[in-house]
């Protein structure tokens, strides 16, 4: 049985329309105008135990609405949603005891208290048996190297340190399912790598993860499967490579020229970027193989270095958003 | 068969008691941490508390000045009114300190951090109450206590067991009424964060109102603070019982002594409203 089953989920919100100016504000007091926004327009998917799914889409696409419904914060207008055999909002306390949620933008730790005190309080909140708590905590502290941070008040932590502590905090009660909402937002490169590594390790322990992010490097590093949502509908559900193939088969050959002024031309490839000695060519591997193209180019021009790469996932996603007519 | 039923009933009661104990323990943890967090800014706490003591004390000086000029208020002397003043302020200080988490709810809902409470497997109201125990309110608390003690001394009231019991009942009952108003104020935030002033007026207006005997007010006003917001039940009636004075409104003595029970009842009613608000939030998310 899938861990998450979502079928035809619909959620609409009423948004109050404010009128401009003082007069508008006064009028708004008497008659409220509102319009209905369809945040989720019938989404369906299933997820198995142990999966790590990337949930992507532009701002306002319906990502957080989905996560809020799955975690029991919001009740949908219609549709079916079963998570670990439960309807989240019908059994709130039982449900949330088995999930963990991290918001990258906010902390769930107590601002003025040392990290360890927050952990201890969470033990009480989740009613974790003391021995089990100590085992999990020590394990997480060792894995994420939190030892030097434990006695520091949360407000004094750097963003990267705080994120590590928040990840650990969300995992203290050993949830079977983790929701991570932009866990790498605002982090420096080293912290990002560390956080990704921890996510991977938690997932390897059998925890399912739904990762919402705008950082395509997160997706490439972590997710075998992605769900792409826009305007409340799921546009794509599958492997990253399949998404790439669906949008375009093109690959890119980057060459470093010996002489900047060299003019490069090829019947089967197209120059898409030129930056000093660096030149990016796009080609369709069905028309010409990478090996043939490289052989031809190196025979004709003086090349210092070259490599083949996939178009960045950002470009692919941007193209889909664009085709959908979303202004970004 | 009957014994089986009895056992099941016992087991249910035991489970309920365990639940309450469990919740009380968590609340204790929350409060201990809140106090520790406030103690990190000790100097700030002391200054706030002393400032609070003085600023609320000036209020009483104003009342004293009025009585010095006019002698009495419709047959009530200054020491008698001091009982009202002291009791209400002690109650209100307790409520302000304990229900601070509800009082600052508009910020929590605006920032979106309320979602976090919903993500924890505990009662929402318990988590709300545990957000903060605001210690600086101790200023008003002691100020009220001093006035209360002075009033009783000036009247030559001996503190007998039944008087102490009634006074404690009135203080706790009053704290429940004011806490209930804070809960209502928070509940309103589920619909709008702009109109909480309505409740504020009732809360702070209630404090001012209940500092004086009910009989000095007009009928409709008296009814509002008797039946809708039962402030009279936690000040006017129990104080009559403490003073041993006959009620011009004609209530019996036993009723006066038990009237503070209306406080917890009012609070329970506001918690129902709160639950309704949480349900509304579940479907609108704002």
């Amino acid at each position: 049985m899938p861990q998450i089953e979502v079928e035809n989920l619909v959620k609409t919100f009423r948004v109050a329309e404010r009128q401009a100016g003082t007069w508008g504000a006064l009028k708004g007091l008497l008659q409220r105008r509102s319009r209905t926004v369809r945040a989720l327009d019938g989404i369906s998917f299933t997820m198995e135990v142990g999966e790590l799914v990337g949930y992507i889409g532009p701002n306002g696409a319906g990502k957080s609405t989905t996560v809020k419904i799955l975690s029991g914060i919001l009740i949908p207008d219609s549709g079916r949603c079963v998570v670990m055999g439960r309807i989240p909002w019908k059994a709130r306390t039982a449900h949330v005891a088995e999930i963990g949620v991290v918001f990258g933008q906010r902390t769930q730790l107590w601002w003025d208290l040392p990290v360890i005190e927050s952990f201890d309080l969470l033990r009480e909140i989740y009613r974790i048996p003391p021995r089990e708590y100590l085992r999990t905590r020590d394990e997480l502290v060792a894995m994420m190297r939190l030892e030097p941070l434990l006695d520091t008040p949360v407000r004094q932590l750097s963003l990267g340190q705080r994120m590590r502590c928040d990840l650990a905090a969300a995992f203290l009660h050993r949830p079977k399912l983790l929701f991570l909402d932009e866990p790498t937002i605002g982090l420096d490169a080293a912290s990002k790598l560390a956080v990704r590594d921890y996510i991977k390790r938690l997932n390897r322990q059998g925890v399912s993860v739904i990762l919402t992010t705008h950082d395509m490097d997160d997706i490439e590093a972590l997710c075998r499967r992605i769900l792409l949502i826009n305007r409340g509908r799921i546009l794509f559900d599958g492997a990253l490579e399949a998404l790439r193939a669906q949008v375009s088969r093109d690959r890119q050959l980057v060459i470093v020229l010996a002489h900047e002024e060299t003019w490069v031309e090829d019947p089967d490839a197209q120059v898409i970027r030129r930056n000093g000695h660096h030149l990016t060519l796009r080609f369709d591997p069905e028309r010409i193989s990478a090996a043939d193209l490289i052989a031809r180019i190196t025979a004709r021009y003086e090349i210092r270095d070259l490599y083949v790469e996939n178009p960045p996932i950002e470009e692919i996603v941007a193209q889909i958003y664009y085709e959908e007519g979303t202004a970004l | 068969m009957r014994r089986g039923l009895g056992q099941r009933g016992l087991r249910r009661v035991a489970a309920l008691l365990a639940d309450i104990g469990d919740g009380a323990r968590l609340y204790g943890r929350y409060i201990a941490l809140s106090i520790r967090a406030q103690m990190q800014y000790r100097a700030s706490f002391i200054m706030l508390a002393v400032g609070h003591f003085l600023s609320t004390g000036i209020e009483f000086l104003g009342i004293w000045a009025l009585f010095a000029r006019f002698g009495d208020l419709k047959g009530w002397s200054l020491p008698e009114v001091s009982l009202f003043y002291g009791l209400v302020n002690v109650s209100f200080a307790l409520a302000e300190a304990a229900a601070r988490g509800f009082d600052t709810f508009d910020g929590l809902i605006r920032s979106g951090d309320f979602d976090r409470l919903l993500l924890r497997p505990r009662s929402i109201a318990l988590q709300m109450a545990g957000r903060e125990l605001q210690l600086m309110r101790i200023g008003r608390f002691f100020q009220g206590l001093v006035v209360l003690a002075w009033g009783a001394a000036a009247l030559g009231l001996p503190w007998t067991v039944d008087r102490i019991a009634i006074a404690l009942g009135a203080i706790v009952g009053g704290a429940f009424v004011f806490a209930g108003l804070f809960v209502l104020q928070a509940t309103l935030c589920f619909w709008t964060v702009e109109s909480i002033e309505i409740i504020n007026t009732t809360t702070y207006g209630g404090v001012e109102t209940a500092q004086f005997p009910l009989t000095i007010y007009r009928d409709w006003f008296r009814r509002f603070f008797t039946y809708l917001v039962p402030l009279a039940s936690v000040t006017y009636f129990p104080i009559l019982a403490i003073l041993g004075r006959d009620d011009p409104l004609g209530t019996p003595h036993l009723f006066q002594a038990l009237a503070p029970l209306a406080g917890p009842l009012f609070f329970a009613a506001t918690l129902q409203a709160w639950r309704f608000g949480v349900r509304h939030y579940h479907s609108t998310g704002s």
Side-chain angles (χ1 to χ4, degrees):
Chain A
M1 203 179 82
Q3 193 171 31
I4 298 180
E5 277 183 274
V6 170
E7 215 180 294
N8 226 351
L9 219 51
V10 173
K11 179 73 192 169
T12 52
F13 293 109
R14 291 174 73 82
V15 182
E17 278 188 340
R18 281 168 203 280
Q19 294 162 49
T22 317
W23 179 239
L26 284 174
K27 256 188 5 199
L29 281 178
L30 298 174
Q31 46 171 180
R32 288 200 162 195
R33 268 205 238 159
S34 62
R35 68 199 155 88
T36 310
V37 177
R38 232 175 157 77
L40 293 184
D41 196 7
I43 67 165
S44 309
F45 66 90
T46 60
M47 184 172 152
E48 299 294 331
V49 175
E51 277 197 88
L52 202 169
V53 174
Y55 197 35
I56 58 175
N59 291 328
K63 296 188 302 281
S64 38
T65 304
T66 315
V67 170
K68 280 183 181 181
I69 289 173
L70 291 176
S71 57
I73 294 174
L74 273 182
I75 303 175
D77 298 353
S78 65
R80 214 170 78 90
C81 171
V82 181
V83 183
M84 295 180 279
R86 279 192 206 96
I87 298 173
W89 58 92
K90 290 223 168 125
R92 185 186 72 83
T93 47
H95 176 65
V96 296
E98 292 192 352
I99 63 169
V101 184
V102 175
F103 296 111
Q105 311 261 37
R106 302 187 212 126
T107 180
Q108 73 152 320
L109 305 167
W110 280 259
W111 201 240
D112 285 321
L113 296 174
V115 176
I116 187 80
E117 305 245 14
S118 285
F119 285 0
D120 288 349
L121 186 53
L122 286 169
R123 184 198 85 70
E124 194 88 41
I125 290 173
Y126 283 93
R127 303 184 173 97
I128 312 167
R131 283 177 67 187
E132 202 182 308
Y133 165 71
L134 286 179
R135 206 179 58 226
T136 311
R137 191 191 71 188
D138 293 346
E139 205 178 290
L140 291 168
V141 166
M143 174 174 135
M144 306 195 192
R145 281 168 286 144
L146 302 178
E147 190 66 55
L149 308 179
L150 288 179
D151 293 321
T152 316
V154 174
R155 64 184 138 83
Q156 290 173 11
L157 297 177
S158 75
L159 198 55
Q161 294 171 331
R162 206 213 74 205
M163 199 58 217
R164 273 149 63 197
C165 295
D166 255 305
L167 258 184
F171 199 72
L172 283 172
H173 57 291
R174 294 212 166 260
K176 300 187 179 103
L177 177 59
L178 266 182
F179 295 96
L180 306 177
D181 186 19
E182 303 200 43
T184 58
I185 195 165
L187 299 188
D188 60 61
S191 301
K192 270 188 188 178
L193 288 178
V195 164
R196 278 181 204 140
D197 183 45
Y198 302 141
I199 295 173
K200 208 180 279 180
R201 287 204 212 181
L202 291 175
N203 178 240
R204 239 180 261 145
Q205 294 184 10
V207 187
S208 318
V209 180
I210 291 190
L211 171 69
T212 326
T213 185
H214 285 298
D215 189 329
M216 293 306 154
D217 291 338
D218 287 352
I219 298 288
E220 286 204 80
L222 294 170
C223 306
R224 240 169 282 137
R225 174 184 172 197
I226 57 175
L227 280 170
L228 196 151
I229 181 177
N230 195 16
R231 295 175 164 191
R233 288 170 173 276
I234 289 184
L235 296 184
F236 176 84
D237 177 356
L240 192 55
E241 287 317 310
L243 175 68
R244 228 191 269 279
Q246 185 178 317
V247 176
S248 121
R249 291 176 308 215
D250 288 358
R251 305 187 79 187
Q252 296 179 353
L253 174 68
V254 182
I255 54 183
V256 184
L257 298 163
H259 311 289
E260 199 177 330
E261 60 277 10
T262 311
W263 185 254
V264 178
E265 248 180 343
D266 191 278
D268 293 319
Q270 187 191 355
V271 177
I272 56 167
R273 238 187 328 267
R274 179 182 267 284
N275 186 7
H277 289 268
H278 291 254
L279 203 70
T280 307
L281 294 161
R282 185 154 66 193
F283 65 98
D284 180 352
E286 301 273 296
R287 248 172 81 190
I288 182 167
S289 74
D292 288 347
L293 183 66
I294 289 169
R296 209 151 75 193
I297 297 278
T298 44
R300 269 205 243 152
Y301 309 103
E302 201 179 331
I303 305 291
R304 213 190 289 152
D305 193 9
L306 57 75
Y307 51 94
V308 177
E309 63 175 21
N310 289 317
I313 186 78
E314 267 102 346
E315 283 181 16
I316 290 172
V317 171
Q319 196 175 336
I320 294 179
Y321 295 170
Y322 179 74
E323 281 165 7
E324 275 288 302
T326 311
L328 280 174
Chain B
M1 196 63 196
R2 275 177 81 180
R3 226 172 92 197
L5 265 177
Q7 270 179 353
R8 209 177 308 154
L10 265 180
R11 220 173 294 147
R12 203 171 293 165
V13 170
L16 183 70
L17 285 179
D19 260 12
I20 292 173
D22 201 34
R25 210 176 58 199
L26 179 61
Y27 181 73
R29 282 294 303 248
Y30 271 130
I31 295 317
L33 288 181
S34 166
I35 290 172
R36 213 175 310 165
Q38 288 171 75
M39 281 306 121
Q40 291 194 351
Y41 309 97
R42 197 166 314 207
S44 152
F45 156 71
I46 291 170
M47 280 188 288
L48 278 171
V50 170
H52 202 49
F53 180 88
L54 294 176
S55 65
T56 52
I58 285 169
E59 222 175 58
F60 185 72
L61 283 185
I63 294 172
W64 174 82
L66 281 178
F67 273 89
R69 174 77 181 75
F70 298 107
D72 73 320
L73 181 72
K74 289 195 175 170
W76 297 85
S77 67
L78 178 62
E80 283 170 329
V81 168
S82 304
L83 294 188
F84 285 85
Y85 179 95
L87 218 93
V88 150
N89 277 285
V90 169
S91 294
F92 187 56
L94 288 176
E96 266 186 315
R100 175 75 180 166
F102 285 95
D103 193 15
T104 56
F105 181 58
D106 56 326
L108 192 74
I109 205 154
R110 249 184 241 145
S111 67
D113 284 330
F114 180 60
D115 286 349
R116 180 50 73 183
L117 269 51
L118 295 173
L119 290 173
R120 293 189 172 135
R122 288 308 189 109
S123 140
I124 308 293
L126 177 68
Q127 294 183 66
M128 287 286 291
R131 285 178 62 216
E132 190 181 350
L133 181 81
Q134 207 191 18
L135 285 182
M136 63 157 280
R137 302 298 174 184
I138 208 167
R140 186 196 286 273
F141 180 86
F142 278 119
Q143 192 267 137
L145 210 59
V146 167
V147 173
L148 183 66
W150 175 81
L155 288 168
L157 284 179
W159 280 113
T160 55
V161 176
D162 53 340
R163 279 211 180 89
I164 290 175
I166 295 171
L168 282 180
I171 287 170
V172 174
F176 270 117
V177 171
F178 288 118
L181 286 173
F182 285 123
V183 172
L184 278 187
Q185 174 189 315
T187 303
L188 217 57
C189 293
F190 286 120
W191 283 270
T192 170
V193 283
E194 284 151 27
S195 61
I196 54 173
E197 290 304 317
I198 298 171
I199 304 287
N200 255 329
T201 312
T202 313
T203 312
Y204 290 92
V207 175
E208 299 292 320
T209 304
Q211 288 173 2
F212 297 98
L214 207 59
T215 42
I216 69 166
Y217 300 111
R218 283 178 188 279
D219 254 3
W220 68 268
F221 198 72
R222 204 152 65 190
R223 285 204 195 101
F224 179 82
F225 280 112
T226 308
Y227 299 116
L228 222 51
V229 179
L231 266 181
S233 305
V234 292
T235 50
Y236 180 72
F237 295 126
I239 287 174
L240 286 178
I242 290 173
L243 289 171
R245 235 176 113 141
D246 280 333
D247 185 4
L249 306 173
T251 55
H253 184 84
L254 185 67
F255 166 80
Q256 294 167 358
L258 294 178
L261 284 173
L265 289 178
F266 176 72
F267 184 72
T270 62
L271 276 186
Q272 281 305 318
W274 164 257
R275 280 186 199 118
F276 179 71
V278 172
R279 274 206 296 280
H280 174 78
Y281 182 86
H282 273 301
S283 53
T284 61
S286 56

